[in-house]
Amino acid sequence: MITTLSVKVKKNGSIELLDLFDALSLELISRVPGLLKVNPLFDDKRKDALLIKEINELICNKKLDEQLSLAKNCSLEFKMMLTDVIEKLIRYENR
């Protein structure tokens, strides 16, 4: 599979990791931690573990962004039903 990305390149030729992850789909980003576990970037396992942790946080944030976008684009009726469900869950949790 080949993926073409549009990412800003700095004057020194480098790119920002966050820009790269913003350009990737959630499906592609989700593969990165597994690839890093099999093919570590650093000799220090702690650095790899920290990088994987940061990437997992980016994945979580990207999922939340997608959910927020979905919620913003849904109908008013669906939003009201969702609000009712959330209120019921809160009441149930508080029991």
Side-chain angles (χ1 to χ4, degrees):
M1 172 175 52
I2 297 174
T3 302
T4 304
L5 301 174
S6 177
V7 180
K8 294 179 187 176
V9 178
K10 293 181 175 184
K11 290 180 183 179
N12 66 3
S14 67
I15 60 172
E16 285 288 330
L17 188 60
L18 287 176
D19 291 340
L20 179 63
F21 278 94
D22 283 342
L24 290 171
S25 69
L26 183 57
E27 178 186 353
L28 290 174
I29 294 172
S30 297
R31 295 179 184 176
V32 174
L35 292 171
L36 286 174
K37 287 178 183 175
V38 175
N39 302 301
L41 290 178
F42 305 105
D43 292 332
D44 184 356
K45 290 182 181 185
R46 292 176 297 174
K47 287 182 181 179
D48 283 317
L50 181 60
L51 180 59
I52 290 170
K53 179 183 174 199
E54 293 293 327
I55 292 170
N56 283 330
E57 287 182 25
L58 289 172
I59 292 168
C60 182
N61 289 340
K62 195 156 183 114
K63 286 179 183 177
L64 290 173
D65 288 344
E66 286 184 3
Q67 291 171 353
L68 179 61
S69 176
L70 179 66
K72 284 182 179 179
N73 294 327
C74 64
S75 69
L76 179 61
E77 294 84 14
F78 181 76
K79 288 178 183 178
M80 293 183 71
M81 288 188 314
L82 189 58
T83 301
D84 289 341
V85 169
I86 292 170
E87 287 174 352
K88 288 177 182 177
L89 288 172
I90 290 171
R91 282 190 297 240
Y92 180 79
E93 180 75 20
N94 288 335
R95 288 185 189 177

